[in-house]
Amino acid sequence: MNITERFINYTKFDTQSAEDSETVPSTLKQLIFAKYLKEELEQEGLSDVEMDDMGYIYATLKANTKKEIPTIGFISHYDTSTDASGANIKARIVENYDGKDIVLSKGIISSPEKFPELKAHVGEDLIVTDGHTLLGADDKAGIAEIVQSMCYLRDHPEIEHGDIRIGFNPDEEIGMGAHHFDVEKFGCEWAYTMDGGDLGNLEYENFNAAGAKIHIKGVSVHTGYAKGKMVNASRLACEFNAMIPENELPETTEGYQGFYHLLGMNSKTEEATLSYLIRDHDREKFEDRKDFIEHCVQAMNEKYGNGTVTVDMKDQYYNMKEKIDPNIHVIDIVLQAMQECGVAPKVEPIRGGTDGAQLSFKGLPCPNIFAGGVNFHGPYEFVSIQVMEKAVSVIVKICEITAGFND
């Protein structure tokens, strides 16, 4: 089976996760694909294939040499985003893309004017949707690349490699993918998530992240007799949000700039809740941002009375750079692999998070490598077959370079 057939086959499974679920995985339909994937790994001859009751899959491509070689791993998630439908995906191939508009279906057009990323893929074969669902390259392209590369190494015993572990998990899109990943069972010295974007992406810096819920107590009184009595929680919520600097929002920042993001607001006169994301690459600035939220709460209480406004704030994940820098050989190997495969590296900070960040802080250094998908989480998502093939080559080369790591 080639990588195109493998990937398109994966897209036929609806594996959308669900943020409001309390089960693991968050949706039962993810387990349907997980069971299929487990069986496929067994049929392809991998060893130690297992799936736990939460849908986490582990397997091994055994070493083909007696040399002492570090055990490394490759990881991808199989759930798809909640931002667009993942059911009844109709993937098709646009062969030898000519750089013009792609008609996905009647009235739905993927245009290089709106999506300039298309221009980088002229002459390539693109897998697209019909404009009504996402494609699922995030991250089924990563899974297809990992499985394909393991098959390639299996069929080319002349390429020396050590034990290679692979892991596939649910619920990454809702921030839970790494929570139940068994790092000890995985047994690797380091690993890579194949979950990045376009050709050459290499990411080992991400946001430090926290979530804050602001709770506001109001006093509801008949509006005709409210003077001196009413405390309108809805109005106080607006006042609180007005304290957030306008130049420190997702829509006004880029690169390494952090932000506050109002994720949602529920309010009525007697009570209101605001939910914020707090993000910054710099750990010290991250802590300052959390302090600023606390300061805003204090200022509101000084104005309206103690206990009027409270905050629940929790850290979500941290910048993996803290854990990668002491293990920079993990990055050096990827850079060498890309160079030898003719791929120009694009080392960029992630303006978000990744399973690799949480895994790095669980003791498994785990940067993020391109999987090839573009315009994730929506109906204009596409992936280049040639880029997926390059990702396979990079994985194989990483394993080959690692075999000489202790030489």
Side-chain angles (χ1 to χ4, degrees):
M1 185 184 297
N2 64 38
I3 194 165
T4 304
E5 295 167 331
R6 197 180 298 278
F7 170 71
I8 290 178
N9 193 33
Y10 293 167
T11 67
K12 295 174 183 177
F13 291 84
D14 179 6
T15 57
Q16 194 175 50
S17 45
E19 196 159 8
D20 56 354
S21 172
E22 295 183 358
T23 64
V24 183
S26 62
T27 55
L28 287 175
K29 57 190 176 183
Q30 290 184 74
L31 287 177
I32 296 173
F33 178 60
K35 290 173 182 175
Y36 170 86
L37 194 54
K38 175 180 179 288
E39 291 173 2
E40 181 180 68
L41 296 176
E42 290 170 339
Q43 289 168 4
E44 294 291 7
L46 274 77
S47 304
D48 310 322
V49 181
E50 60 178 306
M51 183 181 82
D52 65 22
D53 57 2
M54 294 179 289
Y56 287 72
I57 300 170
Y58 308 93
T60 307
L61 181 68
K62 291 290 189 182
N64 62 1
T65 175
K66 293 184 178 179
K67 287 171 58 177
E68 270 195 37
I69 299 172
T71 299
I72 64 171
F74 295 90
I75 300 167
S76 289
H77 67 91
Y78 53 76
D79 67 315
T80 57
S81 170
T82 60
D83 292 340
S85 173
N88 301 311
I89 294 171
K90 295 179 174 61
R92 70 179 176 91
I93 301 171
V94 177
E95 295 183 349
N96 192 21
Y97 172 58
D98 59 8
K100 299 177 183 178
D101 289 356
I102 300 173
V103 179
L104 301 177
S105 60
K106 187 176 180 180
I108 304 176
I109 297 172
S110 184
S111 168
E113 290 185 8
K114 187 174 182 181
F115 302 107
E117 300 86 355
L118 283 163
K119 297 174 184 177
H121 299 283
V122 173
E124 298 176 8
D125 304 313
L126 308 184
I127 304 176
V128 300
T129 74
D130 67 353
H132 296 287
T133 67
L134 47 68
L135 179 63
D138 180 14
D139 190 25
K140 289 171 183 169
I143 296 175
E145 290 153 6
I146 292 170
V147 175
Q148 200 71 25
S149 60
M150 296 303 103
C151 292
Y152 185 89
L153 288 168
R154 176 201 65 197
D155 296 339
H156 290 79
E158 72 276 10
I159 301 174
E160 282 192 337
H161 61 82
D163 281 349
I164 303 165
R165 293 281 278 161
I166 63 175
F168 301 134
N169 60 269
D171 291 341
E172 188 270 353
E173 296 292 357
I174 59 171
M176 302 294 290
H179 283 209
H180 301 283
F181 194 99
D182 194 330
V183 169
E184 185 176 349
K185 177 188 289 184
F186 202 48
C188 294
E189 294 191 34
W190 69 85
Y192 302 95
T193 49
M194 300 298 298
D195 191 20
D198 212 344
L199 181 67
N201 278 175
L202 172 59
E203 300 160 327
Y204 65 97
E205 298 181 66
N206 60 278
F207 277 138
N208 295 290
K213 281 192 180 295
I214 310 299
H215 304 281
I216 301 174
K217 283 184 181 179
V219 177
S220 181
V221 179
H222 188 288
T223 53
Y225 309 95
K227 185 175 181 180
K229 301 173 185 174
M230 177 183 286
V231 179
N232 188 339
S234 293
R235 187 181 63 77
L236 266 62
C238 295
E239 183 177 341
F240 185 95
N241 190 59
M243 299 169 76
I244 304 299
E246 290 185 0
N247 63 341
E248 298 182 29
L249 309 174
E251 57 267 41
T252 58
T253 54
E254 62 184 351
Y256 285 96
Q257 296 173 317
F259 59 74
Y260 306 91
H261 174 52
L262 179 59
L263 192 62
M265 179 191 299
N266 293 303
S267 70
K268 52 187 178 180
T269 301
E270 59 189 8
E271 61 181 354
T273 302
L274 301 93
S275 298
Y276 286 94
L277 303 181
I278 303 168
R279 302 289 189 264
D280 209 296
H281 282 92
D282 183 277
R283 187 67 171 263
E284 187 173 336
K285 291 179 181 178
F286 173 63
E287 297 298 332
D288 289 344
R289 289 189 180 280
K290 293 190 292 180
D291 289 344
F292 175 75
I293 293 293
E294 296 277 10
H295 171 77
C296 292
V297 170
Q298 182 180 347
M300 292 288 286
N301 283 329
E302 287 174 359
K303 184 174 180 179
Y304 295 103
N306 285 337
T308 302
V309 182
T310 57
V311 58
D312 294 324
M313 193 150 40
K314 293 181 180 178
D315 289 356
Q316 295 168 324
Y317 52 82
Y318 303 109
N319 190 345
M320 74 168 89
K321 190 174 188 294
E322 290 182 31
K323 301 299 181 182
I324 300 296
D325 278 350
N327 299 281
I328 202 64
H329 63 276
V330 173
I331 300 300
D332 293 338
I333 289 171
V334 182
L335 293 174
Q336 182 183 342
M338 287 188 181
Q339 182 180 16
E340 293 187 20
C341 292
V343 175
K346 299 174 185 175
V347 182
E348 300 173 338
I350 310 171
R351 285 183 62 78
T354 170
D355 278 345
Q358 296 182 49
L359 292 170
S360 293
F361 279 88
K362 290 176 76 170
L364 180 67
C366 195
N368 194 32
I369 300 175
F370 72 93
V374 183
N375 296 336
F376 290 152
H377 297 189
Y380 300 97
E381 183 183 5
F382 71 89
V383 66
S384 161
I385 293 172
Q386 284 77 12
V387 173
M388 286 199 295
E389 290 171 344
K390 278 289 187 184
V392 171
S393 298
V394 169
I395 293 172
V396 170
K397 187 60 68 173
I398 287 171
C399 297
E400 184 179 355
I401 294 169
T402 302
F405 183 73
N406 289 327
D407 288 352

